[in-house]
Amino acid sequence: SVAAPPRRGALIVIEGCDRTGKTTQAMKLVEYLNGSDRKAIFMRFPDRTTPIGCLIDSYLSRGVNLEDQVIHLLFSANRWESHPKIISTLKSGASVIIDRYAFSGVAFSAAKESLGLQWCKGSDAGLPKPDVVLFLDLPLEQAATRGEYGSERYEELKFQQRVYKNYMALRDDTWKMIDASKSIEEVQRSMEAEVERVMKESKFGPLPGLWW
Ligand code: TMP
């Protein structure tokens, strides 16, 4: 007899303004899942290791200037180039934990006011929709006091306030707000609880497309 195909993995996205602890928490979540016998991989956007990612890195560190539309589309393209890997990993039964996704793409680009929210959503529409978005919520004044804040483009309070507002406009019932002012361990535990809940409740049917 042929073994049943594995149940697909969960697509878990971590979002939040700059310096809210997303990367630390994403990595801890991967460790937690792998440590309890559930395969999970870590991904992050921007993925600065690809040629498109190198260009994005250079833009963020103010090495090059690009039109607002151009950098927006590069961030999207940088996600689409990982699309096959996301799909094949989920199909293999492993979960994918992603540090930033299309919500960052829209929230940051649309904070420039030269670009509208609807226009920004277009280039990411059709990417797999996450099973859950864990939003690390932290007062922006508090984030601004964290290490190295201000070293990259966008790390400026007024800009982050517009980003935050855009994030809130993108929320739906798959979003969970996580109080990121708590200790690393406390944040970790509330994220683990959300993920356990999602993994228990979700039917993990076919992956719907984002913003379709
Ligand atoms: P990082 O600090 O998580 O590497 O993100 C770098 C910056 O890029 C951060 O300020 C958020 C911004 N960003 C966008 O503007 N659009 C995007 O699509 C992504 C993924 C990040």
PDB file of all heavy atoms in Angstrom, residues 18-19 22-23 44-46 48 56 60 72 75-76 79 99-102 104-106 108-109 124 152-155 160, ligand 1:
ATOM      1  N   ASP A  18      10.202  47.946  13.046  1.00  0.00           N
ATOM      2  CA  ASP A  18      11.614  47.645  13.227  1.00  0.00           C
ATOM      3  C   ASP A  18      11.987  47.552  14.709  1.00  0.00           C
ATOM      4  O   ASP A  18      11.443  48.260  15.545  1.00  0.00           O
ATOM      5  CB  ASP A  18      12.464  48.724  12.529  1.00  0.00           C
ATOM      6  CG  ASP A  18      12.349  48.636  10.999  1.00  0.00           C
ATOM      7  OD1 ASP A  18      11.990  47.549  10.505  1.00  0.00           O
ATOM      8  OD2 ASP A  18      12.615  49.632  10.316  1.00  0.00           O
ATOM      9  N   ARG A  19      12.932  46.650  15.024  1.00  0.00           N
ATOM     10  CA  ARG A  19      13.473  46.468  16.393  1.00  0.00           C
ATOM     11  C   ARG A  19      12.415  46.020  17.397  1.00  0.00           C
ATOM     12  O   ARG A  19      12.368  46.511  18.520  1.00  0.00           O
ATOM     13  CB  ARG A  19      14.159  47.741  16.897  1.00  0.00           C
ATOM     14  CG  ARG A  19      15.178  48.336  15.929  1.00  0.00           C
ATOM     15  CD  ARG A  19      16.478  47.591  15.875  1.00  0.00           C
ATOM     16  NE  ARG A  19      17.230  47.970  14.664  1.00  0.00           N
ATOM     17  CZ  ARG A  19      18.382  47.462  14.300  1.00  0.00           C
ATOM     18  NH1 ARG A  19      18.949  46.527  15.037  1.00  0.00           N
ATOM     19  NH2 ARG A  19      18.973  47.846  13.199  1.00  0.00           N
ATOM     20  N   LYS A  22      11.569  40.435  16.150  1.00  0.00           N
ATOM     21  CA  LYS A  22      11.036  39.414  15.238  1.00  0.00           C
ATOM     22  C   LYS A  22      12.023  38.287  14.935  1.00  0.00           C
ATOM     23  O   LYS A  22      11.667  37.116  14.983  1.00  0.00           O
ATOM     24  CB  LYS A  22      10.625  40.050  13.898  1.00  0.00           C
ATOM     25  CG  LYS A  22       9.441  40.984  13.988  1.00  0.00           C
ATOM     26  CD  LYS A  22       9.109  41.594  12.632  1.00  0.00           C
ATOM     27  CE  LYS A  22      10.251  42.406  12.063  1.00  0.00           C
ATOM     28  NZ  LYS A  22      10.691  43.546  12.880  1.00  0.00           N
ATOM     29  N   THR A  23      13.262  38.647  14.611  1.00  0.00           N
ATOM     30  CA  THR A  23      14.232  37.626  14.198  1.00  0.00           C
ATOM     31  C   THR A  23      14.542  36.674  15.340  1.00  0.00           C
ATOM     32  O   THR A  23      14.534  35.447  15.173  1.00  0.00           O
ATOM     33  CB  THR A  23      15.515  38.298  13.667  1.00  0.00           C
ATOM     34  OG1 THR A  23      15.137  39.249  12.659  1.00  0.00           O
ATOM     35  CG2 THR A  23      16.466  37.290  13.062  1.00  0.00           C
ATOM     36  N   ARG A  44      13.555  34.429   5.967  1.00  0.00           N
ATOM     37  CA  ARG A  44      13.346  35.843   6.269  1.00  0.00           C
ATOM     38  C   ARG A  44      13.329  36.644   4.974  1.00  0.00           C
ATOM     39  O   ARG A  44      13.969  36.282   3.994  1.00  0.00           O
ATOM     40  CB  ARG A  44      14.441  36.371   7.195  1.00  0.00           C
ATOM     41  CG  ARG A  44      15.808  36.518   6.521  1.00  0.00           C
ATOM     42  CD  ARG A  44      16.853  37.025   7.475  1.00  0.00           C
ATOM     43  NE  ARG A  44      16.411  38.253   8.136  1.00  0.00           N
ATOM     44  CZ  ARG A  44      17.055  38.800   9.159  1.00  0.00           C
ATOM     45  NH1 ARG A  44      18.152  38.238   9.631  1.00  0.00           N
ATOM     46  NH2 ARG A  44      16.622  39.909   9.694  1.00  0.00           N
ATOM     47  N   PHE A  45      12.560  37.737   5.031  1.00  0.00           N
ATOM     48  CA  PHE A  45      12.566  38.700   3.929  1.00  0.00           C
ATOM     49  C   PHE A  45      12.877  40.077   4.482  1.00  0.00           C
ATOM     50  O   PHE A  45      12.373  40.415   5.539  1.00  0.00           O
ATOM     51  CB  PHE A  45      11.217  38.694   3.201  1.00  0.00           C
ATOM     52  CG  PHE A  45      10.950  37.391   2.507  1.00  0.00           C
ATOM     53  CD1 PHE A  45       9.907  36.570   2.918  1.00  0.00           C
ATOM     54  CD2 PHE A  45      11.765  36.977   1.465  1.00  0.00           C
ATOM     55  CE1 PHE A  45       9.676  35.354   2.289  1.00  0.00           C
ATOM     56  CE2 PHE A  45      11.534  35.763   0.825  1.00  0.00           C
ATOM     57  CZ  PHE A  45      10.487  34.961   1.242  1.00  0.00           C
ATOM     58  N   PRO A  46      13.719  40.888   3.818  1.00  0.00           N
ATOM     59  CA  PRO A  46      14.372  40.519   2.579  1.00  0.00           C
ATOM     60  C   PRO A  46      15.395  39.400   2.779  1.00  0.00           C
ATOM     61  O   PRO A  46      16.054  39.353   3.798  1.00  0.00           O
ATOM     62  CB  PRO A  46      15.075  41.819   2.152  1.00  0.00           C
ATOM     63  CG  PRO A  46      15.309  42.567   3.434  1.00  0.00           C
ATOM     64  CD  PRO A  46      14.133  42.229   4.287  1.00  0.00           C
ATOM     65  N   ARG A  48      18.699  38.643   1.779  1.00  0.00           N
ATOM     66  CA  ARG A  48      19.776  39.463   1.202  1.00  0.00           C
ATOM     67  C   ARG A  48      20.838  38.646   0.483  1.00  0.00           C
ATOM     68  O   ARG A  48      21.812  39.192  -0.010  1.00  0.00           O
ATOM     69  CB  ARG A  48      20.412  40.324   2.314  1.00  0.00           C
ATOM     70  CG  ARG A  48      19.379  41.206   3.045  1.00  0.00           C
ATOM     71  CD  ARG A  48      20.028  42.181   4.019  1.00  0.00           C
ATOM     72  NE  ARG A  48      19.030  42.744   4.951  1.00  0.00           N
ATOM     73  CZ  ARG A  48      19.044  43.973   5.427  1.00  0.00           C
ATOM     74  NH1 ARG A  48      20.011  44.807   5.090  1.00  0.00           N
ATOM     75  NH2 ARG A  48      18.109  44.386   6.265  1.00  0.00           N
ATOM     76  N   ILE A  56      18.692  45.128  -2.688  1.00  0.00           N
ATOM     77  CA  ILE A  56      17.855  45.623  -1.588  1.00  0.00           C
ATOM     78  C   ILE A  56      18.739  46.040  -0.413  1.00  0.00           C
ATOM     79  O   ILE A  56      18.543  47.105   0.189  1.00  0.00           O
ATOM     80  CB  ILE A  56      16.838  44.541  -1.139  1.00  0.00           C
ATOM     81  CG1 ILE A  56      15.805  44.277  -2.242  1.00  0.00           C
ATOM     82  CG2 ILE A  56      16.143  44.949   0.161  1.00  0.00           C
ATOM     83  CD1 ILE A  56      14.881  43.092  -1.986  1.00  0.00           C
ATOM     84  N   LEU A  60      18.944  49.660   1.400  1.00  0.00           N
ATOM     85  CA  LEU A  60      18.647  49.879   2.828  1.00  0.00           C
ATOM     86  C   LEU A  60      19.808  50.547   3.557  1.00  0.00           C
ATOM     87  O   LEU A  60      19.599  51.350   4.463  1.00  0.00           O
ATOM     88  CB  LEU A  60      18.286  48.547   3.500  1.00  0.00           C
ATOM     89  CG  LEU A  60      16.924  47.961   3.116  1.00  0.00           C
ATOM     90  CD1 LEU A  60      16.776  46.546   3.665  1.00  0.00           C
ATOM     91  CD2 LEU A  60      15.779  48.847   3.604  1.00  0.00           C
ATOM     92  N   HIS A  72       9.946  48.794  -4.228  1.00  0.00           N
ATOM     93  CA  HIS A  72       8.773  48.003  -3.828  1.00  0.00           C
ATOM     94  C   HIS A  72       8.702  46.690  -4.623  1.00  0.00           C
ATOM     95  O   HIS A  72       8.513  45.612  -4.061  1.00  0.00           O
ATOM     96  CB  HIS A  72       7.474  48.791  -4.020  1.00  0.00           C
ATOM     97  CG  HIS A  72       6.268  47.967  -3.703  1.00  0.00           C
ATOM     98  ND1 HIS A  72       5.863  47.712  -2.405  1.00  0.00           N
ATOM     99  CD2 HIS A  72       5.426  47.259  -4.502  1.00  0.00           C
ATOM    100  CE1 HIS A  72       4.818  46.896  -2.429  1.00  0.00           C
ATOM    101  NE2 HIS A  72       4.525  46.611  -3.686  1.00  0.00           N
ATOM    102  N   PHE A  75      11.382  44.151  -3.574  1.00  0.00           N
ATOM    103  CA  PHE A  75      11.012  43.411  -2.358  1.00  0.00           C
ATOM    104  C   PHE A  75      10.026  42.293  -2.707  1.00  0.00           C
ATOM    105  O   PHE A  75      10.142  41.170  -2.199  1.00  0.00           O
ATOM    106  CB  PHE A  75      10.376  44.353  -1.324  1.00  0.00           C
ATOM    107  CG  PHE A  75      11.345  45.049  -0.388  1.00  0.00           C
ATOM    108  CD1 PHE A  75      11.472  46.430  -0.389  1.00  0.00           C
ATOM    109  CD2 PHE A  75      12.103  44.327   0.530  1.00  0.00           C
ATOM    110  CE1 PHE A  75      12.337  47.084   0.498  1.00  0.00           C
ATOM    111  CE2 PHE A  75      12.971  44.964   1.424  1.00  0.00           C
ATOM    112  CZ  PHE A  75      13.080  46.344   1.403  1.00  0.00           C
ATOM    113  N   SER A  76       9.051  42.584  -3.560  1.00  0.00           N
ATOM    114  CA  SER A  76       8.084  41.552  -3.974  1.00  0.00           C
ATOM    115  C   SER A  76       8.778  40.435  -4.744  1.00  0.00           C
ATOM    116  O   SER A  76       8.545  39.248  -4.483  1.00  0.00           O
ATOM    117  CB  SER A  76       6.999  42.145  -4.886  1.00  0.00           C
ATOM    118  OG  SER A  76       6.103  42.903  -4.147  1.00  0.00           O
ATOM    119  N   ARG A  79      10.427  37.952  -2.711  1.00  0.00           N
ATOM    120  CA  ARG A  79       9.559  36.916  -2.134  1.00  0.00           C
ATOM    121  C   ARG A  79       9.196  35.883  -3.196  1.00  0.00           C
ATOM    122  O   ARG A  79       9.249  34.680  -2.950  1.00  0.00           O
ATOM    123  CB  ARG A  79       8.282  37.544  -1.535  1.00  0.00           C
ATOM    124  CG  ARG A  79       8.507  38.140  -0.172  1.00  0.00           C
ATOM    125  CD  ARG A  79       7.239  38.720   0.420  1.00  0.00           C
ATOM    126  NE  ARG A  79       6.879  40.013  -0.134  1.00  0.00           N
ATOM    127  CZ  ARG A  79       7.408  41.177   0.246  1.00  0.00           C
ATOM    128  NH1 ARG A  79       8.332  41.210   1.187  1.00  0.00           N
ATOM    129  NH2 ARG A  79       7.020  42.319  -0.288  1.00  0.00           N
ATOM    130  N   ASP A  99      10.232  35.485   8.923  1.00  0.00           N
ATOM    131  CA  ASP A  99      10.490  36.774   9.555  1.00  0.00           C
ATOM    132  C   ASP A  99      10.237  37.854   8.497  1.00  0.00           C
ATOM    133  O   ASP A  99      11.079  38.053   7.635  1.00  0.00           O
ATOM    134  CB  ASP A  99      11.970  36.734  10.011  1.00  0.00           C
ATOM    135  CG  ASP A  99      12.467  38.028  10.615  1.00  0.00           C
ATOM    136  OD1 ASP A  99      11.665  38.950  10.817  1.00  0.00           O
ATOM    137  OD2 ASP A  99      13.690  38.103  10.870  1.00  0.00           O
ATOM    138  N   ARG A 100       9.068  38.504   8.539  1.00  0.00           N
ATOM    139  CA  ARG A 100       8.565  39.492   7.568  1.00  0.00           C
ATOM    140  C   ARG A 100       8.076  38.837   6.286  1.00  0.00           C
ATOM    141  O   ARG A 100       8.671  37.872   5.787  1.00  0.00           O
ATOM    142  CB  ARG A 100       9.620  40.523   7.172  1.00  0.00           C
ATOM    143  CG  ARG A 100      10.029  41.470   8.259  1.00  0.00           C
ATOM    144  CD  ARG A 100      10.842  42.606   7.622  1.00  0.00           C
ATOM    145  NE  ARG A 100      11.421  43.490   8.593  1.00  0.00           N
ATOM    146  CZ  ARG A 100      10.748  44.421   9.259  1.00  0.00           C
ATOM    147  NH1 ARG A 100       9.453  44.587   9.042  1.00  0.00           N
ATOM    148  NH2 ARG A 100      11.356  45.186  10.128  1.00  0.00           N
ATOM    149  N   TYR A 101       7.025  39.458   5.719  1.00  0.00           N
ATOM    150  CA  TYR A 101       6.418  38.902   4.502  1.00  0.00           C
ATOM    151  C   TYR A 101       5.789  40.065   3.733  1.00  0.00           C
ATOM    152  O   TYR A 101       6.212  41.220   3.896  1.00  0.00           O
ATOM    153  CB  TYR A 101       5.371  37.858   4.943  1.00  0.00           C
ATOM    154  CG  TYR A 101       4.914  36.851   3.912  1.00  0.00           C
ATOM    155  CD1 TYR A 101       5.814  36.072   3.199  1.00  0.00           C
ATOM    156  CD2 TYR A 101       3.542  36.652   3.691  1.00  0.00           C
ATOM    157  CE1 TYR A 101       5.367  35.120   2.288  1.00  0.00           C
ATOM    158  CE2 TYR A 101       3.092  35.700   2.796  1.00  0.00           C
ATOM    159  CZ  TYR A 101       4.005  34.933   2.091  1.00  0.00           C
ATOM    160  OH  TYR A 101       3.555  33.982   1.193  1.00  0.00           O
ATOM    161  N   ALA A 102       4.793  39.768   2.940  1.00  0.00           N
ATOM    162  CA  ALA A 102       4.176  40.800   2.102  1.00  0.00           C
ATOM    163  C   ALA A 102       3.573  41.957   2.903  1.00  0.00           C
ATOM    164  O   ALA A 102       3.449  43.074   2.379  1.00  0.00           O
ATOM    165  CB  ALA A 102       3.088  40.166   1.244  1.00  0.00           C
ATOM    166  N   SER A 104       4.947  43.455   5.450  1.00  0.00           N
ATOM    167  CA  SER A 104       6.034  44.443   5.533  1.00  0.00           C
ATOM    168  C   SER A 104       6.132  45.191   4.209  1.00  0.00           C
ATOM    169  O   SER A 104       6.307  46.403   4.183  1.00  0.00           O
ATOM    170  CB  SER A 104       7.388  43.759   5.786  1.00  0.00           C
ATOM    171  OG  SER A 104       7.542  43.389   7.133  1.00  0.00           O
ATOM    172  N   GLY A 105       6.045  44.424   3.120  1.00  0.00           N
ATOM    173  CA  GLY A 105       6.162  45.026   1.796  1.00  0.00           C
ATOM    174  C   GLY A 105       5.181  46.167   1.610  1.00  0.00           C
ATOM    175  O   GLY A 105       5.550  47.252   1.156  1.00  0.00           O
ATOM    176  N   VAL A 106       3.933  45.920   1.990  1.00  0.00           N
ATOM    177  CA  VAL A 106       2.890  46.932   1.798  1.00  0.00           C
ATOM    178  C   VAL A 106       2.994  48.033   2.855  1.00  0.00           C
ATOM    179  O   VAL A 106       2.948  49.223   2.532  1.00  0.00           O
ATOM    180  CB  VAL A 106       1.492  46.277   1.828  1.00  0.00           C
ATOM    181  CG1 VAL A 106       0.401  47.341   1.775  1.00  0.00           C
ATOM    182  CG2 VAL A 106       1.345  45.293   0.677  1.00  0.00           C
ATOM    183  N   PHE A 108       5.461  49.196   4.640  1.00  0.00           N
ATOM    184  CA  PHE A 108       6.600  50.115   4.497  1.00  0.00           C
ATOM    185  C   PHE A 108       6.491  50.957   3.228  1.00  0.00           C
ATOM    186  O   PHE A 108       6.676  52.167   3.263  1.00  0.00           O
ATOM    187  CB  PHE A 108       7.934  49.353   4.541  1.00  0.00           C
ATOM    188  CG  PHE A 108       8.371  49.002   5.934  1.00  0.00           C
ATOM    189  CD1 PHE A 108       7.772  47.976   6.625  1.00  0.00           C
ATOM    190  CD2 PHE A 108       9.366  49.734   6.575  1.00  0.00           C
ATOM    191  CE1 PHE A 108       8.148  47.655   7.927  1.00  0.00           C
ATOM    192  CE2 PHE A 108       9.755  49.431   7.879  1.00  0.00           C
ATOM    193  CZ  PHE A 108       9.144  48.382   8.549  1.00  0.00           C
ATOM    194  N   SER A 109       6.201  50.316   2.101  1.00  0.00           N
ATOM    195  CA  SER A 109       6.116  51.080   0.846  1.00  0.00           C
ATOM    196  C   SER A 109       5.013  52.128   0.916  1.00  0.00           C
ATOM    197  O   SER A 109       5.203  53.274   0.508  1.00  0.00           O
ATOM    198  CB  SER A 109       5.861  50.147  -0.334  1.00  0.00           C
ATOM    199  OG  SER A 109       7.012  49.395  -0.641  1.00  0.00           O
ATOM    200  N   ASP A 124       2.213  41.353  -4.627  1.00  0.00           N
ATOM    201  CA  ASP A 124       2.324  40.191  -3.733  1.00  0.00           C
ATOM    202  C   ASP A 124       1.062  39.332  -3.755  1.00  0.00           C
ATOM    203  O   ASP A 124       1.044  38.261  -3.139  1.00  0.00           O
ATOM    204  CB  ASP A 124       2.613  40.642  -2.294  1.00  0.00           C
ATOM    205  CG  ASP A 124       4.058  41.051  -2.093  1.00  0.00           C
ATOM    206  OD1 ASP A 124       4.933  40.166  -2.138  1.00  0.00           O
ATOM    207  OD2 ASP A 124       4.319  42.256  -1.920  1.00  0.00           O
ATOM    208  N   GLU A 152      19.668  51.930   9.569  1.00  0.00           N
ATOM    209  CA  GLU A 152      19.187  51.694   8.198  1.00  0.00           C
ATOM    210  C   GLU A 152      18.059  52.657   7.850  1.00  0.00           C
ATOM    211  O   GLU A 152      17.395  53.206   8.721  1.00  0.00           O
ATOM    212  CB  GLU A 152      18.683  50.244   8.047  1.00  0.00           C
ATOM    213  CG  GLU A 152      19.787  49.247   7.816  1.00  0.00           C
ATOM    214  CD  GLU A 152      19.298  47.927   7.207  1.00  0.00           C
ATOM    215  OE1 GLU A 152      18.130  47.555   7.417  1.00  0.00           O
ATOM    216  OE2 GLU A 152      20.114  47.290   6.512  1.00  0.00           O
ATOM    217  N   ARG A 153      17.854  52.814   6.549  1.00  0.00           N
ATOM    218  CA  ARG A 153      16.736  53.556   6.011  1.00  0.00           C
ATOM    219  C   ARG A 153      15.454  53.074   6.693  1.00  0.00           C
ATOM    220  O   ARG A 153      15.346  51.904   7.023  1.00  0.00           O
ATOM    221  CB  ARG A 153      16.659  53.259   4.501  1.00  0.00           C
ATOM    222  CG  ARG A 153      16.158  54.399   3.640  1.00  0.00           C
ATOM    223  CD  ARG A 153      15.977  53.904   2.241  1.00  0.00           C
ATOM    224  NE  ARG A 153      17.205  53.887   1.442  1.00  0.00           N
ATOM    225  CZ  ARG A 153      17.480  54.768   0.476  1.00  0.00           C
ATOM    226  NH1 ARG A 153      16.650  55.752   0.203  1.00  0.00           N
ATOM    227  NH2 ARG A 153      18.579  54.654  -0.237  1.00  0.00           N
ATOM    228  N   TYR A 154      14.491  53.919   6.888  1.00  0.00           N
ATOM    229  CA  TYR A 154      13.173  53.619   7.473  1.00  0.00           C
ATOM    230  C   TYR A 154      13.160  53.655   8.998  1.00  0.00           C
ATOM    231  O   TYR A 154      12.083  53.701   9.596  1.00  0.00           O
ATOM    232  CB  TYR A 154      12.609  52.241   7.049  1.00  0.00           C
ATOM    233  CG  TYR A 154      12.422  52.022   5.575  1.00  0.00           C
ATOM    234  CD1 TYR A 154      12.474  50.742   5.037  1.00  0.00           C
ATOM    235  CD2 TYR A 154      12.185  53.091   4.703  1.00  0.00           C
ATOM    236  CE1 TYR A 154      12.298  50.518   3.680  1.00  0.00           C
ATOM    237  CE2 TYR A 154      12.010  52.877   3.349  1.00  0.00           C
ATOM    238  CZ  TYR A 154      12.073  51.589   2.839  1.00  0.00           C
ATOM    239  OH  TYR A 154      11.903  51.359   1.491  1.00  0.00           O
ATOM    240  N   GLU A 155      14.351  53.599   9.666  1.00  0.00           N
ATOM    241  CA  GLU A 155      14.331  53.541  11.127  1.00  0.00           C
ATOM    242  C   GLU A 155      14.244  54.953  11.701  1.00  0.00           C
ATOM    243  O   GLU A 155      15.213  55.498  12.208  1.00  0.00           O
ATOM    244  CB  GLU A 155      15.558  52.782  11.651  1.00  0.00           C
ATOM    245  CG  GLU A 155      15.448  51.295  11.313  1.00  0.00           C
ATOM    246  CD  GLU A 155      16.585  50.455  11.840  1.00  0.00           C
ATOM    247  OE1 GLU A 155      17.687  50.990  12.038  1.00  0.00           O
ATOM    248  OE2 GLU A 155      16.364  49.264  12.039  1.00  0.00           O
ATOM    249  N   GLN A 160       7.937  55.093  11.075  1.00  0.00           N
ATOM    250  CA  GLN A 160       7.448  53.865  11.723  1.00  0.00           C
ATOM    251  C   GLN A 160       5.992  54.017  12.161  1.00  0.00           C
ATOM    252  O   GLN A 160       5.236  53.044  12.167  1.00  0.00           O
ATOM    253  CB  GLN A 160       8.338  53.504  12.920  1.00  0.00           C
ATOM    254  CG  GLN A 160       9.784  53.178  12.542  1.00  0.00           C
ATOM    255  CD  GLN A 160       9.961  51.795  11.909  1.00  0.00           C
ATOM    256  OE1 GLN A 160       9.298  50.839  12.266  1.00  0.00           O
ATOM    257  NE2 GLN A 160      10.867  51.708  10.947  1.00  0.00           N
TER     258      GLN A 160
HETATM  259  P1  TMP B   1      15.011  43.559   8.252  1.00  0.00           P
HETATM  260  O1  TMP B   1      15.578  44.502   9.267  1.00  0.00           O
HETATM  261  O2  TMP B   1      13.955  42.660   8.810  1.00  0.00           O
HETATM  262  O3  TMP B   1      16.084  42.832   7.481  1.00  0.00           O
HETATM  263  O4  TMP B   1      14.227  44.477   7.186  1.00  0.00           O
HETATM  264  C1  TMP B   1      14.893  45.492   6.527  1.00  0.00           C
HETATM  265  C2  TMP B   1      14.007  46.677   6.258  1.00  0.00           C
HETATM  266  O5  TMP B   1      13.284  46.499   5.043  1.00  0.00           O
HETATM  267  C3  TMP B   1      12.989  47.002   7.335  1.00  0.00           C
HETATM  268  O6  TMP B   1      13.050  48.404   7.600  1.00  0.00           O
HETATM  269  C4  TMP B   1      11.664  46.673   6.689  1.00  0.00           C
HETATM  270  C5  TMP B   1      11.927  46.877   5.222  1.00  0.00           C
HETATM  271  N1  TMP B   1      11.098  46.066   4.312  1.00  0.00           N
HETATM  272  C6  TMP B   1      10.365  46.692   3.296  1.00  0.00           C
HETATM  273  O7  TMP B   1      10.366  47.910   3.188  1.00  0.00           O
HETATM  274  N2  TMP B   1       9.662  45.914   2.426  1.00  0.00           N
HETATM  275  C7  TMP B   1       9.635  44.548   2.496  1.00  0.00           C
HETATM  276  O8  TMP B   1       8.981  43.887   1.675  1.00  0.00           O
HETATM  277  C8  TMP B   1      10.398  43.909   3.545  1.00  0.00           C
HETATM  278  C9  TMP B   1      10.402  42.407   3.642  1.00  0.00           C
HETATM  279  C10 TMP B   1      11.108  44.705   4.426  1.00  0.00           C
END
